[in-house]
Amino acid sequence: MGTRLRTLIYTFIFASWVILASGTHYYQKSLLTKEDLLPMEEVHLETKKSKRQIEFTTENDEASAVLPADTPENSVLSPGEGDASDLPTCLLCVCLTGSVYCEEVDPDMTSVPALPKETAYLYARYNKIKKITQKDFGDIVTLKRIDLTGNLISEIEDGAFSKLTLLEELTLAENQLVRLPMLPAKLTSFNANHNLLKTKGVKANAFKKMTKLRNLYLAHNQLEAVPVIPESVSILHLQNNNISTVTVDTFCKSNDTYYIRPNMNEIRMDGNPVVLAQYPNSFTCLQALPIGRYQ
Ligand SMILES: *[C@@H]1O[C@H](CO)[C@@H](O)[C@H](O)[C@H]1NC(C)=O
Ligand SMILES: *[C@@H]1O[C@H](CO)[C@@H](O)[C@H](O)[C@H]1NC(C)=O
């Protein structure tokens, strides 16, 4: 490709970006946390048809304070330098310092987009991503939060998240997962509500070593058993599954009647066949009874 042609292409792309950026406006709005949402700031991005007007709502001052004009080299490509593979992502999506917002991208986004280096926050909600491969996040070890709510994900390769040692919040809600992949040990919040998870696909010890996990959302799945819940967990959502029994060791310790479970504030087991009143010894270590059927 001739230099002139390349310059022309870059000029075109740069001009498109300027148009996009100049038609972008931001405003800030607080949002109430909804039932099943993670207790983190919720960022909503609506991309209008023209793609010129983007409404951006956030509680996060840090994100909204930075306009595209201030974005660093990783999100805006200057003509004649940088890696062109970054470009489509930051034209289809909105890239702010360290954050990539790709919500309801048109044309359909069917796989994880190439992420700029140093991406820490990825919001790729309500797209048509079907599969997560080992390569998708392989090099982006800076990721702290990934939100893939509302895609069509039915398969995640086992090593897909294995290099993400900084990852703290992972949301895979509203997908089509039957089984979970290996999860990073440092997660503080994991959300797989509204999937098709089966007991066979969620190993009993899947969460056992996640000693920082505070919020675990597995509601609206097809689980028939409760996995081992680490002591750090304070909110556990298991409503609308197919759990028909619990034991003393589900939440407490059968060999230690004086044990009091720390941290646990909320367990939801409503919408399961289990009748909790039949297992009075299973909750003695808890400071509050699970929400669910008692008769
Ligand atoms: C729920 O679990 C029972 C076994 O406890 C099983 O027979 C039934 O098929 C399950 N239902 C669904 C919808 O998976
Ligand atoms: C209870 O059993 C576990 C292993 O299952 C053991 O680590 C723990 O020390 C036991 N606690 C008591 C009080 O015996």
Side-chain angles (χ1 to χ4, degrees):
M1 185 160 49
T3 314
R4 197 174 298 172
L5 179 57
R6 201 176 306 152
T7 308
L8 192 67
I9 290 170
Y10 278 133
T11 307
F12 170 74
I13 288 165
F14 187 68
S16 317
W17 178 81
V18 169
I19 290 167
L20 179 79
S22 62
T24 304
H25 75 263
Y26 294 82
Y27 67 91
Q28 217 180 330
K29 185 167 95 180
S30 290
L31 293 168
L32 292 173
T33 310
K34 279 190 252 147
E35 177 223 15
D36 281 338
L37 292 177
L38 299 181
M40 60 171 87
E41 80 268 27
E42 281 300 317
V43 183
H44 287 255
L45 183 77
E46 290 177 32
T47 309
K48 300 288 183 223
K49 282 204 182 89
S50 70
K51 292 238 166 176
R52 291 194 178 183
Q53 191 174 26
I54 295 167
E55 291 183 36
F56 181 80
T57 68
T58 177
E59 290 182 344
N60 186 347
D61 292 334
E62 185 192 348
S64 59
V66 184
L67 295 174
D70 296 323
T71 48
E73 71 293 325
N74 66 11
S75 44
V76 179
L77 193 71
S78 319
E81 61 176 51
D83 176 1
S85 69
D86 286 355
L87 199 58
T89 300
C90 292
L91 280 180
L92 285 172
C93 307
V94 173
C95 298
L96 301 172
T97 38
S99 303
V100 176
Y101 303 89
C102 311
E103 317 235 331
E104 293 180 84
V105 173
D106 185 23
D108 290 350
M109 177 177 278
T110 56
S111 59
V112 174
L115 296 173
K117 287 191 175 54
E118 320 267 302
T119 299
Y121 302 97
L122 170 64
Y123 302 90
R125 307 198 292 191
Y126 302 104
N127 289 297
K128 304 229 160 80
I129 299 170
K130 292 179 185 142
K131 183 178 172 183
I132 310 289
T133 69
Q134 285 202 36
K135 282 188 197 153
D136 288 338
F137 302 119
D139 300 329
I140 319 293
V141 295
T142 45
L143 279 162
K144 288 186 188 162
R145 182 184 301 158
I146 297 174
D147 188 345
L148 294 164
T149 298
N151 279 278
L152 302 170
I153 302 165
S154 58
E155 191 188 344
I156 301 181
E157 289 180 2
D158 240 331
F161 303 115
S162 61
K163 287 188 189 162
L164 308 185
T165 53
L166 300 179
L167 194 68
E168 291 178 354
E169 295 171 8
L170 177 59
T171 301
L172 302 170
E174 297 172 52
N175 277 286
Q176 296 176 8
L177 291 169
V178 172
R179 61 177 288 272
L180 294 180
M182 294 269 291
L183 296 170
K186 284 195 191 159
L187 286 186
T188 59
S189 184
F190 178 69
N191 188 338
N193 282 343
H194 292 278
N195 273 275
L196 306 169
L197 293 174
K198 295 182 194 307
T199 307
K200 241 179 21 184
V202 182
K203 296 199 178 69
N205 289 337
F207 307 104
K208 191 177 180 180
K209 290 192 177 151
M210 296 167 65
T211 54
K212 297 191 169 167
L213 192 63
R214 292 169 47 81
N215 306 316
L216 179 55
Y217 301 103
L218 297 169
H220 297 271
N221 278 288
Q222 297 169 15
L223 300 177
E224 290 170 18
V226 181
V228 176
I229 308 298
E231 270 192 343
S232 54
V233 170
S234 80
I235 298 178
L236 174 64
H237 283 191
L238 290 166
Q239 68 269 29
N240 296 90
N241 274 281
N242 192 17
I243 298 163
S244 54
T245 183
V246 291
T247 71
V248 175
D249 287 308
T250 304
F251 303 116
C252 301
K253 295 185 179 179
S254 54
N255 66 351
D256 183 356
T257 50
Y258 293 101
Y259 174 67
I260 301 289
R261 192 180 176 101
N263 306 318
M264 188 65 90
N265 288 325
E266 178 180 303
I267 301 176
R268 283 195 55 183
M269 298 196 70
D270 42 308
N272 282 283
V274 63
V275 179
L276 298 171
Q278 289 173 3
Y279 306 92
N281 298 329
S282 296
F283 312 117
T284 52
C285 69
L286 299 176
Q287 295 166 64
L289 286 172
I291 297 162
R293 289 174 60 197
Y294 281 87
Q295 45 182 315

mmCIF file of all heavy atoms in Angstrom, residues 171-212:
data_model
loop_
_atom_site.group_PDB
_atom_site.id
_atom_site.type_symbol
_atom_site.label_atom_id
_atom_site.label_comp_id
_atom_site.label_asym_id
_atom_site.label_seq_id
_atom_site.Cartn_x
_atom_site.Cartn_y
_atom_site.Cartn_z
ATOM 1 N N THR A 171 -18.654 -10.065 35.208
ATOM 2 C CA THR A 171 -20.094 -10.217 35.036
ATOM 3 C C THR A 171 -20.388 -10.920 33.718
ATOM 4 O O THR A 171 -20.056 -10.411 32.646
ATOM 5 C CB THR A 171 -20.781 -8.838 35.066
ATOM 6 O OG1 THR A 171 -20.489 -8.239 36.318
ATOM 7 C CG2 THR A 171 -22.282 -8.971 34.926
ATOM 8 N N LEU A 172 -21.000 -12.089 33.853
ATOM 9 C CA LEU A 172 -21.368 -12.887 32.677
ATOM 10 C C LEU A 172 -22.883 -13.104 32.659
ATOM 11 O O LEU A 172 -23.372 -14.054 32.064
ATOM 12 C CB LEU A 172 -20.653 -14.247 32.737
ATOM 13 C CG LEU A 172 -19.121 -14.206 32.801
ATOM 14 C CD1 LEU A 172 -18.557 -15.591 33.103
ATOM 15 C CD2 LEU A 172 -18.553 -13.693 31.487
ATOM 16 N N ALA A 173 -23.611 -12.223 33.326
ATOM 17 C CA ALA A 173 -25.064 -12.392 33.460
ATOM 18 C C ALA A 173 -25.751 -12.372 32.102
ATOM 19 O O ALA A 173 -25.258 -11.777 31.143
ATOM 20 C CB ALA A 173 -25.626 -11.283 34.344
ATOM 21 N N GLU A 174 -26.906 -13.032 32.041
ATOM 22 C CA GLU A 174 -27.747 -13.040 30.832
ATOM 23 C C GLU A 174 -26.989 -13.547 29.611
ATOM 24 O O GLU A 174 -26.902 -12.877 28.584
ATOM 25 C CB GLU A 174 -28.330 -11.653 30.563
ATOM 26 C CG GLU A 174 -29.255 -11.180 31.674
ATOM 27 C CD GLU A 174 -29.677 -9.733 31.503
ATOM 28 O OE1 GLU A 174 -30.158 -9.390 30.404
ATOM 29 O OE2 GLU A 174 -29.499 -8.954 32.457
ATOM 30 N N ASN A 175 -26.403 -14.724 29.772
ATOM 31 C CA ASN A 175 -25.779 -15.400 28.645
ATOM 32 C C ASN A 175 -26.321 -16.828 28.582
ATOM 33 O O ASN A 175 -27.400 -17.091 29.135
ATOM 34 C CB ASN A 175 -24.251 -15.347 28.795
ATOM 35 C CG ASN A 175 -23.695 -14.023 28.294
ATOM 36 O OD1 ASN A 175 -23.628 -13.790 27.091
ATOM 37 N ND2 ASN A 175 -23.328 -13.139 29.209
ATOM 38 N N GLN A 176 -25.602 -17.723 27.911
ATOM 39 C CA GLN A 176 -26.120 -19.082 27.735
ATOM 40 C C GLN A 176 -25.136 -20.121 28.228
ATOM 41 O O GLN A 176 -24.999 -21.197 27.646
ATOM 42 C CB GLN A 176 -26.462 -19.280 26.255
ATOM 43 C CG GLN A 176 -27.575 -18.329 25.859
ATOM 44 C CD GLN A 176 -27.934 -18.371 24.398
ATOM 45 O OE1 GLN A 176 -27.468 -19.227 23.639
ATOM 46 N NE2 GLN A 176 -28.773 -17.452 23.972
ATOM 47 N N LEU A 177 -24.475 -19.792 29.310
ATOM 48 C CA LEU A 177 -23.458 -20.698 29.848
ATOM 49 C C LEU A 177 -24.080 -21.893 30.548
ATOM 50 O O LEU A 177 -24.998 -21.747 31.358
ATOM 51 C CB LEU A 177 -22.576 -19.948 30.840
ATOM 52 C CG LEU A 177 -21.664 -18.889 30.236
ATOM 53 C CD1 LEU A 177 -21.043 -18.040 31.332
ATOM 54 C CD2 LEU A 177 -20.586 -19.560 29.390
ATOM 55 N N VAL A 178 -23.548 -23.064 30.237
ATOM 56 C CA VAL A 178 -23.959 -24.300 30.895
ATOM 57 C C VAL A 178 -22.921 -24.664 31.956
ATOM 58 O O VAL A 178 -23.223 -25.259 32.971
ATOM 59 C CB VAL A 178 -24.099 -25.425 29.843
ATOM 60 C CG1 VAL A 178 -24.341 -26.769 30.495
ATOM 61 C CG2 VAL A 178 -25.221 -25.075 28.879
ATOM 62 N N ARG A 179 -21.691 -24.257 31.694
ATOM 63 C CA ARG A 179 -20.608 -24.519 32.650
ATOM 64 C C ARG A 179 -19.742 -23.273 32.819
ATOM 65 O O ARG A 179 -19.710 -22.404 31.945
ATOM 66 C CB ARG A 179 -19.744 -25.689 32.194
ATOM 67 C CG ARG A 179 -19.051 -25.461 30.857
ATOM 68 C CD ARG A 179 -18.156 -26.636 30.488
ATOM 69 N NE ARG A 179 -16.960 -26.681 31.324
ATOM 70 C CZ ARG A 179 -15.834 -26.035 31.045
ATOM 71 N NH1 ARG A 179 -15.732 -25.275 29.979
ATOM 72 N NH2 ARG A 179 -14.795 -26.132 31.843
ATOM 73 N N LEU A 180 -19.041 -23.219 33.939
ATOM 74 C CA LEU A 180 -18.137 -22.096 34.199
ATOM 75 C C LEU A 180 -16.703 -22.493 33.885
ATOM 76 O O LEU A 180 -16.313 -23.633 34.116
ATOM 77 C CB LEU A 180 -18.220 -21.680 35.676
ATOM 78 C CG LEU A 180 -19.533 -21.084 36.152
ATOM 79 C CD1 LEU A 180 -19.439 -20.720 37.625
ATOM 80 C CD2 LEU A 180 -19.899 -19.841 35.329
ATOM 81 N N PRO A 181 -15.913 -21.536 33.398
ATOM 82 C CA PRO A 181 -14.488 -21.799 33.209
ATOM 83 C C PRO A 181 -13.756 -21.632 34.542
ATOM 84 O O PRO A 181 -14.370 -21.276 35.537
ATOM 85 C CB PRO A 181 -14.077 -20.683 32.237
ATOM 86 C CG PRO A 181 -14.941 -19.532 32.659
ATOM 87 C CD PRO A 181 -16.267 -20.135 33.097
ATOM 88 N N MET A 182 -12.449 -21.828 34.534
ATOM 89 C CA MET A 182 -11.622 -21.502 35.704
ATOM 90 C C MET A 182 -11.730 -19.999 35.937
ATOM 91 O O MET A 182 -11.656 -19.223 34.993
ATOM 92 C CB MET A 182 -10.157 -21.815 35.401
ATOM 93 C CG MET A 182 -9.885 -23.278 35.197
ATOM 94 S SD MET A 182 -9.446 -24.047 36.737
ATOM 95 C CE MET A 182 -7.849 -23.287 37.008
ATOM 96 N N LEU A 183 -11.873 -19.618 37.188
ATOM 97 C CA LEU A 183 -12.026 -18.196 37.499
ATOM 98 C C LEU A 183 -10.798 -17.683 38.238
ATOM 99 O O LEU A 183 -10.188 -18.424 39.008
ATOM 100 C CB LEU A 183 -13.275 -17.995 38.357
ATOM 101 C CG LEU A 183 -14.588 -18.369 37.666
ATOM 102 C CD1 LEU A 183 -15.739 -18.383 38.652
ATOM 103 C CD2 LEU A 183 -14.881 -17.408 36.519
ATOM 104 N N PRO A 184 -10.442 -16.402 38.006
ATOM 105 C CA PRO A 184 -9.271 -15.850 38.697
ATOM 106 C C PRO A 184 -9.499 -15.800 40.211
ATOM 107 O O PRO A 184 -10.589 -15.475 40.668
ATOM 108 C CB PRO A 184 -9.132 -14.432 38.126
ATOM 109 C CG PRO A 184 -10.061 -14.347 36.984
ATOM 110 C CD PRO A 184 -11.092 -15.417 37.135
ATOM 111 N N ALA A 185 -8.452 -16.063 40.967
ATOM 112 C CA ALA A 185 -8.581 -16.229 42.418
ATOM 113 C C ALA A 185 -8.908 -14.935 43.157
ATOM 114 O O ALA A 185 -9.420 -14.963 44.264
ATOM 115 C CB ALA A 185 -7.311 -16.832 42.981
ATOM 116 N N LYS A 186 -8.604 -13.784 42.547
ATOM 117 C CA LYS A 186 -8.771 -12.534 43.288
ATOM 118 C C LYS A 186 -10.107 -11.835 43.071
ATOM 119 O O LYS A 186 -10.283 -10.700 43.506
ATOM 120 C CB LYS A 186 -7.649 -11.562 42.916
ATOM 121 C CG LYS A 186 -6.334 -11.912 43.576
ATOM 122 C CD LYS A 186 -5.385 -10.728 43.483
ATOM 123 C CE LYS A 186 -3.981 -11.084 43.874
ATOM 124 N NZ LYS A 186 -3.029 -10.118 43.311
ATOM 125 N N LEU A 187 -11.035 -12.488 42.406
ATOM 126 C CA LEU A 187 -12.325 -11.832 42.175
ATOM 127 C C LEU A 187 -12.974 -11.431 43.494
ATOM 128 O O LEU A 187 -12.955 -12.183 44.456
ATOM 129 C CB LEU A 187 -13.277 -12.781 41.443
ATOM 130 C CG LEU A 187 -13.049 -13.054 39.964
ATOM 131 C CD1 LEU A 187 -14.201 -13.899 39.423
ATOM 132 C CD2 LEU A 187 -12.930 -11.765 39.179
ATOM 133 N N THR A 188 -13.557 -10.232 43.489
ATOM 134 C CA THR A 188 -14.375 -9.833 44.633
ATOM 135 C C THR A 188 -15.855 -9.966 44.309
ATOM 136 O O THR A 188 -16.687 -10.027 45.196
ATOM 137 C CB THR A 188 -14.098 -8.370 45.043
ATOM 138 O OG1 THR A 188 -14.392 -7.525 43.924
ATOM 139 C CG2 THR A 188 -12.648 -8.176 45.441
ATOM 140 N N SER A 189 -16.162 -9.976 43.002
ATOM 141 C CA SER A 189 -17.556 -10.084 42.603
ATOM 142 C C SER A 189 -17.677 -10.919 41.336
ATOM 143 O O SER A 189 -16.951 -10.696 40.373
ATOM 144 C CB SER A 189 -18.116 -8.675 42.361
ATOM 145 O OG SER A 189 -19.488 -8.766 42.067
ATOM 146 N N PHE A 190 -18.560 -11.897 41.382
ATOM 147 C CA PHE A 190 -18.791 -12.726 40.203
ATOM 148 C C PHE A 190 -20.290 -12.839 39.990
ATOM 149 O O PHE A 190 -21.040 -13.165 40.906
ATOM 150 C CB PHE A 190 -18.180 -14.122 40.383
ATOM 151 C CG PHE A 190 -18.443 -15.014 39.209
ATOM 152 C CD1 PHE A 190 -17.842 -14.765 37.989
ATOM 153 C CD2 PHE A 190 -19.323 -16.083 39.310
ATOM 154 C CE1 PHE A 190 -18.101 -15.570 36.885
ATOM 155 C CE2 PHE A 190 -19.589 -16.898 38.216
ATOM 156 C CZ PHE A 190 -18.974 -16.642 37.000
ATOM 157 N N ASN A 191 -20.716 -12.554 38.760
ATOM 158 C CA ASN A 191 -22.140 -12.572 38.449
ATOM 159 C C ASN A 191 -22.405 -13.435 37.230
ATOM 160 O O ASN A 191 -21.958 -13.124 36.119
ATOM 161 C CB ASN A 191 -22.617 -11.133 38.189
ATOM 162 C CG ASN A 191 -24.134 -11.043 38.037
ATOM 163 O OD1 ASN A 191 -24.802 -12.041 37.729
ATOM 164 N ND2 ASN A 191 -24.672 -9.861 38.243
ATOM 165 N N ALA A 192 -23.105 -14.555 37.460
ATOM 166 C CA ALA A 192 -23.536 -15.403 36.345
ATOM 167 C C ALA A 192 -25.048 -15.638 36.440
ATOM 168 O O ALA A 192 -25.550 -16.701 36.086
ATOM 169 C CB ALA A 192 -22.775 -16.725 36.345
ATOM 170 N N ASN A 193 -25.768 -14.630 36.928
ATOM 171 C CA ASN A 193 -27.235 -14.720 36.954
ATOM 172 C C ASN A 193 -27.779 -14.953 35.545
ATOM 173 O O ASN A 193 -27.183 -14.512 34.565
ATOM 174 C CB ASN A 193 -27.842 -13.391 37.443
ATOM 175 C CG ASN A 193 -27.747 -13.212 38.954
ATOM 176 O OD1 ASN A 193 -27.518 -14.158 39.691
ATOM 177 N ND2 ASN A 193 -27.924 -11.977 39.398
ATOM 178 N N HIS A 194 -28.938 -15.604 35.467
ATOM 179 C CA HIS A 194 -29.625 -15.765 34.182
ATOM 180 C C HIS A 194 -28.736 -16.410 33.116
ATOM 181 O O HIS A 194 -28.471 -15.832 32.065
ATOM 182 C CB HIS A 194 -30.157 -14.414 33.674
ATOM 183 C CG HIS A 194 -31.279 -13.867 34.505
ATOM 184 N ND1 HIS A 194 -32.588 -14.260 34.353
ATOM 185 C CD2 HIS A 194 -31.280 -12.967 35.514
ATOM 186 C CE1 HIS A 194 -33.351 -13.618 35.221
ATOM 187 N NE2 HIS A 194 -32.585 -12.832 35.939
ATOM 188 N N ASN A 195 -28.260 -17.606 33.446
ATOM 189 C CA ASN A 195 -27.593 -18.433 32.450
ATOM 190 C C ASN A 195 -28.291 -19.794 32.462
ATOM 191 O O ASN A 195 -29.444 -19.896 32.917
ATOM 192 C CB ASN A 195 -26.099 -18.555 32.778
ATOM 193 C CG ASN A 195 -25.297 -17.399 32.189
ATOM 194 O OD1 ASN A 195 -24.892 -17.429 31.044
ATOM 195 N ND2 ASN A 195 -25.086 -16.353 32.991
ATOM 196 N N LEU A 196 -27.610 -20.816 31.968
ATOM 197 C CA LEU A 196 -28.186 -22.165 31.932
ATOM 198 C C LEU A 196 -27.301 -23.114 32.730
ATOM 199 O O LEU A 196 -27.182 -24.295 32.406
ATOM 200 C CB LEU A 196 -28.288 -22.644 30.468
ATOM 201 C CG LEU A 196 -29.040 -21.725 29.502
ATOM 202 C CD1 LEU A 196 -28.839 -22.179 28.057
ATOM 203 C CD2 LEU A 196 -30.539 -21.712 29.847
ATOM 204 N N LEU A 197 -26.677 -22.581 33.773
ATOM 205 C CA LEU A 197 -25.682 -23.361 34.520
ATOM 206 C C LEU A 197 -26.286 -24.605 35.140
ATOM 207 O O LEU A 197 -27.324 -24.542 35.809
ATOM 208 C CB LEU A 197 -25.056 -22.501 35.621
ATOM 209 C CG LEU A 197 -24.194 -21.336 35.147
ATOM 210 C CD1 LEU A 197 -23.765 -20.482 36.336
ATOM 211 C CD2 LEU A 197 -22.976 -21.850 34.381
ATOM 212 N N LYS A 198 -25.601 -25.718 34.933
ATOM 213 C CA LYS A 198 -26.016 -26.982 35.542
ATOM 214 C C LYS A 198 -25.019 -27.353 36.628
ATOM 215 O O LYS A 198 -23.872 -26.908 36.609
ATOM 216 C CB LYS A 198 -26.035 -28.079 34.478
ATOM 217 C CG LYS A 198 -27.076 -27.823 33.400
ATOM 218 C CD LYS A 198 -27.083 -28.970 32.404
ATOM 219 C CE LYS A 198 -27.842 -28.630 31.141
ATOM 220 N NZ LYS A 198 -29.196 -28.144 31.349
ATOM 221 N N THR A 199 -25.456 -28.193 37.555
ATOM 222 C CA THR A 199 -24.586 -28.598 38.663
ATOM 223 C C THR A 199 -23.284 -29.182 38.146
ATOM 224 O O THR A 199 -22.202 -28.894 38.674
ATOM 225 C CB THR A 199 -25.313 -29.640 39.534
ATOM 226 O OG1 THR A 199 -26.565 -29.088 39.903
ATOM 227 C CG2 THR A 199 -24.518 -29.961 40.784
ATOM 228 N N LYS A 200 -23.370 -29.975 37.098
ATOM 229 C CA LYS A 200 -22.176 -30.596 36.533
ATOM 230 C C LYS A 200 -21.177 -29.555 36.017
ATOM 231 O O LYS A 200 -19.979 -29.804 35.981
ATOM 232 C CB LYS A 200 -22.590 -31.486 35.347
ATOM 233 C CG LYS A 200 -22.232 -32.923 35.541
ATOM 234 C CD LYS A 200 -22.648 -33.869 34.408
ATOM 235 C CE LYS A 200 -22.906 -33.268 33.054
ATOM 236 N NZ LYS A 200 -23.397 -34.271 32.088
ATOM 237 N N GLY A 201 -21.678 -28.387 35.631
ATOM 238 C CA GLY A 201 -20.816 -27.357 35.060
ATOM 239 C C GLY A 201 -20.239 -26.385 36.077
ATOM 240 O O GLY A 201 -19.482 -25.488 35.715
ATOM 241 N N VAL A 202 -20.637 -26.532 37.353
ATOM 242 C CA VAL A 202 -20.113 -25.657 38.403
ATOM 243 C C VAL A 202 -19.524 -26.560 39.485
ATOM 244 O O VAL A 202 -20.242 -27.063 40.345
ATOM 245 C CB VAL A 202 -21.225 -24.756 38.993
ATOM 246 C CG1 VAL A 202 -20.654 -23.826 40.059
ATOM 247 C CG2 VAL A 202 -21.897 -23.942 37.898
ATOM 248 N N LYS A 203 -18.244 -26.773 39.426
ATOM 249 C CA LYS A 203 -17.611 -27.709 40.369
ATOM 250 C C LYS A 203 -17.829 -27.250 41.804
ATOM 251 O O LYS A 203 -17.833 -26.056 42.089
ATOM 252 C CB LYS A 203 -16.115 -27.810 40.080
ATOM 253 C CG LYS A 203 -15.831 -28.392 38.709
ATOM 254 C CD LYS A 203 -14.404 -28.917 38.609
ATOM 255 C CE LYS A 203 -14.146 -29.537 37.248
ATOM 256 N NZ LYS A 203 -14.112 -28.527 36.154
ATOM 257 N N ALA A 204 -17.993 -28.215 42.693
ATOM 258 C CA ALA A 204 -18.248 -27.903 44.105
ATOM 259 C C ALA A 204 -17.188 -26.945 44.648
ATOM 260 O O ALA A 204 -17.486 -26.064 45.447
ATOM 261 C CB ALA A 204 -18.296 -29.182 44.927
ATOM 262 N N ASN A 205 -15.950 -27.103 44.187
ATOM 263 C CA ASN A 205 -14.867 -26.264 44.706
ATOM 264 C C ASN A 205 -14.516 -25.085 43.795
ATOM 265 O O ASN A 205 -13.469 -24.470 43.969
ATOM 266 C CB ASN A 205 -13.626 -27.120 44.949
ATOM 267 C CG ASN A 205 -13.824 -28.043 46.135
ATOM 268 O OD1 ASN A 205 -14.656 -27.779 47.004
ATOM 269 N ND2 ASN A 205 -13.082 -29.132 46.167
ATOM 270 N N ALA A 206 -15.405 -24.768 42.878
ATOM 271 C CA ALA A 206 -15.120 -23.709 41.904
ATOM 272 C C ALA A 206 -14.767 -22.377 42.558
ATOM 273 O O ALA A 206 -13.975 -21.607 42.028
ATOM 274 C CB ALA A 206 -16.321 -23.532 40.968
ATOM 275 N N PHE A 207 -15.366 -22.083 43.718
ATOM 276 C CA PHE A 207 -15.162 -20.777 44.369
ATOM 277 C C PHE A 207 -14.336 -20.879 45.647
ATOM 278 O O PHE A 207 -14.011 -19.867 46.266
ATOM 279 C CB PHE A 207 -16.518 -20.147 44.702
ATOM 280 C CG PHE A 207 -17.443 -20.067 43.517
ATOM 281 C CD1 PHE A 207 -18.506 -20.960 43.395
ATOM 282 C CD2 PHE A 207 -17.241 -19.135 42.515
ATOM 283 C CE1 PHE A 207 -19.352 -20.913 42.285
ATOM 284 C CE2 PHE A 207 -18.070 -19.073 41.414
ATOM 285 C CZ PHE A 207 -19.131 -19.971 41.298
ATOM 286 N N LYS A 208 -14.029 -22.099 46.032
ATOM 287 C CA LYS A 208 -13.454 -22.357 47.355
ATOM 288 C C LYS A 208 -12.213 -21.519 47.659
ATOM 289 O O LYS A 208 -12.050 -21.012 48.766
ATOM 290 C CB LYS A 208 -13.102 -23.841 47.475
ATOM 291 C CG LYS A 208 -12.755 -24.270 48.876
ATOM 292 C CD LYS A 208 -12.501 -25.760 48.940
ATOM 293 C CE LYS A 208 -12.142 -26.177 50.360
ATOM 294 N NZ LYS A 208 -11.898 -27.627 50.439
ATOM 295 N N LYS A 209 -11.348 -21.370 46.675
ATOM 296 C CA LYS A 209 -10.085 -20.669 46.937
ATOM 297 C C LYS A 209 -10.157 -19.165 46.681
ATOM 298 O O LYS A 209 -9.151 -18.463 46.756
ATOM 299 C CB LYS A 209 -8.983 -21.272 46.071
ATOM 300 C CG LYS A 209 -8.630 -22.671 46.526
ATOM 301 C CD LYS A 209 -7.373 -23.190 45.890
ATOM 302 C CE LYS A 209 -7.028 -24.564 46.441
ATOM 303 N NZ LYS A 209 -6.300 -25.368 45.451
ATOM 304 N N MET A 210 -11.348 -18.689 46.375
ATOM 305 C CA MET A 210 -11.479 -17.258 46.069
ATOM 306 C C MET A 210 -11.718 -16.507 47.383
ATOM 307 O O MET A 210 -12.836 -16.147 47.733
ATOM 308 C CB MET A 210 -12.607 -17.056 45.062
ATOM 309 C CG MET A 210 -12.263 -17.743 43.734
ATOM 310 S SD MET A 210 -13.636 -17.905 42.595
ATOM 311 C CE MET A 210 -13.968 -16.224 42.259
ATOM 312 N N THR A 211 -10.635 -16.223 48.078
ATOM 313 C CA THR A 211 -10.743 -15.720 49.443
ATOM 314 C C THR A 211 -11.110 -14.244 49.524
ATOM 315 O O THR A 211 -11.259 -13.701 50.614
ATOM 316 C CB THR A 211 -9.414 -15.935 50.192
ATOM 317 O OG1 THR A 211 -8.374 -15.351 49.403
ATOM 318 C CG2 THR A 211 -9.129 -17.414 50.380
ATOM 319 N N LYS A 212 -11.230 -13.574 48.376
ATOM 320 C CA LYS A 212 -11.641 -12.164 48.394
ATOM 321 C C LYS A 212 -13.064 -11.983 47.887
ATOM 322 O O LYS A 212 -13.567 -10.857 47.813
ATOM 323 C CB LYS A 212 -10.690 -11.336 47.539
ATOM 324 C CG LYS A 212 -9.291 -11.368 48.091
ATOM 325 C CD LYS A 212 -8.410 -10.358 47.408
ATOM 326 C CE LYS A 212 -7.112 -10.248 48.190
ATOM 327 N NZ LYS A 212 -6.087 -9.539 47.438
#
